[in-house]
Amino acid sequence: MPNYGVPPLAISRGLGAKVWDVAGREYLDMFAGIAVSSLGHAHPALVQAVSAQVAKLAHTCNLLLHEPEVLLAERLLGLLGVPGRVFLANSGTEANECALKLALKYGKARGRGFLVAAENGFHGRTFGALALTGKPSIRDQFGPFGLDVRFVPYGDADALKEAVTEECAAVFLEPALGEGGVVPPPAGYLTAAREICDATGALLVADEIQSAIGRTGAWFAHQHEGFVPDVLTLAKGLGGGMPIGACIGVGEAGLLFDRGDHGSTFGGNPVSCAAALAVLDTVEAEGLLGRAVELGAQLASGIAAVEHPLLSGVRGRGLWLAATLTRPVAGAVQAAAQEAGFLVNAVQPDALRLAPALVISSAEVASFTDALPAILEGAR
Ligand SMILES: *Cc1c(COP(=O)(O)O)cnc(C)c1O
């Protein structure tokens, strides 16, 4: 269907932070399939885990239990450091559908009829997640959604305070707008959101589908702020390229569903769980949280040091950055970068998303920042 347009490139293989197109040309992959290929391409740990699991058991459905799903749920709760329960899905949007159903069930039992989400926020493309997505261009032509979702400007704690009353069931927020252009909120915003939810009894749902699993230098981006959400959704980098999503209910929020309230045939399948366990083990074994901090700082300072009339700055945290442009020419810069052998993502008309594999090397980061002036010049 024409929904993806015509992609600019066909890729045939990858290794580490590099990929090769069908003609054999090499590129440095600076966005890792939208922050998904956290270990890079063809990491031996992922190859081994997936191969061994598919050779042993590829599917059970959720009428039966298997070991990788139990280990993964326990591992995620251990990283979060709080008691909770985990529902495993296949994607980000499904993780958010689960969170939405938790929020609606919570609200219905308590006379809390509406939800709050952020303008320019992104939560997915299925019906419930789309209803929470604050981008009129991708949302409005498919509504109405039958949900009372109230949108507030992202980063404005006063607006959030005004919107979240005791009739609000839940607040859905990303730790920084991802699809919105890697836009971090002002300091203290997320902590204020936690306080507002505590004061009113609304659930705080942190959509960490893009921001978690080391991307910002912490397992979960909210850990930088020192609070815990009621519900946490994960996907993208968790599977390192294999499809998986997770919805974690912290404390009592993990006990809202009764038997039969939710389900998924493929959700938590053994192969994706084995992949996720390999990702978590490797992030730990290779010290990738620290590397995200270190190489993120190198990438950000390398971009900031470039002086070019098209470049206005750099924002974000860890290896989750956006280079911002003075004019809406991100598409042209993306094309010029590809021409020069670098894959970047024009996430907004005036912003390039950089979210490379956490295993990218310092020399590879330097090769990108060294090439950036000529890339920008090529887009003029
Ligand atoms: C990508 C993304 C989603 C949707 O995930 P899919 O796996 O594409 O369904 C939801 N929320 C955020 C913050 C995302 O970045």
Side-chain angles (χ1 to χ4, degrees), residues 34 90-94 96 122-126 129 174-176 178-179 207-211 233 235-236 244 320 353:
I34 316 188
N90 307 287
S91 65
T93 200
E94 286 173 79
N96 281 337
F122 181 82
H123 300 291
R125 303 282 196 156
T126 57
E174 298 166 78
E179 295 312 295
D207 179 344
E208 291 235 27
I209 286 164
Q210 191 162 154
S211 54
T233 56
K236 290 202 166 87
I244 190 164
W320 196 38
R353 172 167 42 196

Side-chain angles (χ1 to χ4, degrees), residues 161-216:
K161 190 163 186 188
E162 193 150 320
V164 180
T165 66
E166 298 196 346
E167 283 78 55
C168 174
V171 176
F172 283 72
L173 286 177
E174 298 166 78
L177 298 177
E179 295 312 295
V182 194
V183 184
Y189 178 65
L190 298 170
T191 313
R194 177 69 278 179
E195 284 163 11
I196 290 164
C197 288
D198 284 341
T200 55
L203 295 177
L204 179 60
V205 182
D207 179 344
E208 291 235 27
I209 286 164
Q210 191 162 154
S211 54
I213 321 299
R215 189 55 44 207
T216 66

Side-chain angles (χ1 to χ4, degrees), residues 72-365:
L72 178 59
E74 286 177 349
R75 193 74 201 284
L76 288 172
L77 291 171
L79 295 173
L80 201 52
V82 289
R85 298 290 181 106
V86 182
F87 176 84
L88 294 171
N90 307 287
S91 65
T93 200
E94 286 173 79
N96 281 337
E97 292 289 330
C98 177
L100 175 60
K101 283 177 70 174
L102 288 176
L104 293 175
K105 186 166 181 188
Y106 176 82
K108 262 206 173 117
R110 292 165 180 79
R112 295 169 168 269
F114 71 92
L115 303 154
V116 169
E119 288 168 12
N120 291 318
F122 181 82
H123 300 291
R125 303 282 196 156
T126 57
F127 226 57
L130 187 57
L132 293 162
T133 290
K135 215 177 166 202
S137 61
I138 65 173
R139 167 194 150 91
D140 284 1
Q141 59 180 325
F142 301 107
F145 301 94
L147 291 170
D148 185 356
V149 182
R150 304 186 186 172
F151 291 99
V152 292
Y154 186 75
D156 182 340
D158 292 335
L160 192 63
K161 190 163 186 188
E162 193 150 320
V164 180
T165 66
E166 298 196 346
E167 283 78 55
C168 174
V171 176
F172 283 72
L173 286 177
E174 298 166 78
L177 298 177
E179 295 312 295
V182 194
V183 184
Y189 178 65
L190 298 170
T191 313
R194 177 69 278 179
E195 284 163 11
I196 290 164
C197 288
D198 284 341
T200 55
L203 295 177
L204 179 60
V205 182
D207 179 344
E208 291 235 27
I209 286 164
Q210 191 162 154
S211 54
I213 321 299
R215 189 55 44 207
T216 66
W219 284 108
F220 309 106
H222 72 261
Q223 291 175 328
H224 294 294
E225 310 283 328
F227 73 90
V228 183
D230 299 298
V231 179
L232 176 68
T233 56
L234 307 171
K236 290 202 166 87
L238 177 60
M242 291 296 288
I244 190 164
C247 177
I248 304 180
V250 172
E252 302 204 338
L255 299 169
L256 284 163
F257 282 154
D258 290 307
R259 185 174 176 182
D261 280 352
H262 198 44
S264 167
T265 300
F266 290 120
N269 91 79
V271 182
S272 287
C273 289
L277 283 165
V279 167
L280 299 177
D281 285 345
T282 306
V283 168
E284 201 164 87
E286 296 188 5
L288 298 183
L289 301 184
R291 282 191 71 76
V293 172
E294 197 183 310
L295 293 179
Q298 182 193 339
L299 182 55
S301 64
I303 294 166
V306 170
E307 279 183 41
H308 191 277
L310 280 184
L311 186 68
S312 61
V314 58
R315 64 186 176 220
R317 185 169 208 159
L319 280 172
W320 196 38
L321 300 172
T324 56
L325 304 171
T326 53
R327 293 196 283 119
V329 291
V333 179
Q334 178 186 307
Q338 181 184 314
E339 206 42 52
F342 298 92
L343 303 184
V344 300
N345 165 236
V347 63
Q348 289 286 314
D350 62 353
L352 298 170
R353 172 167 42 196
L354 302 167
L358 306 181
V359 300
I360 193 170
S361 71
S362 175
E364 285 169 333
V365 168

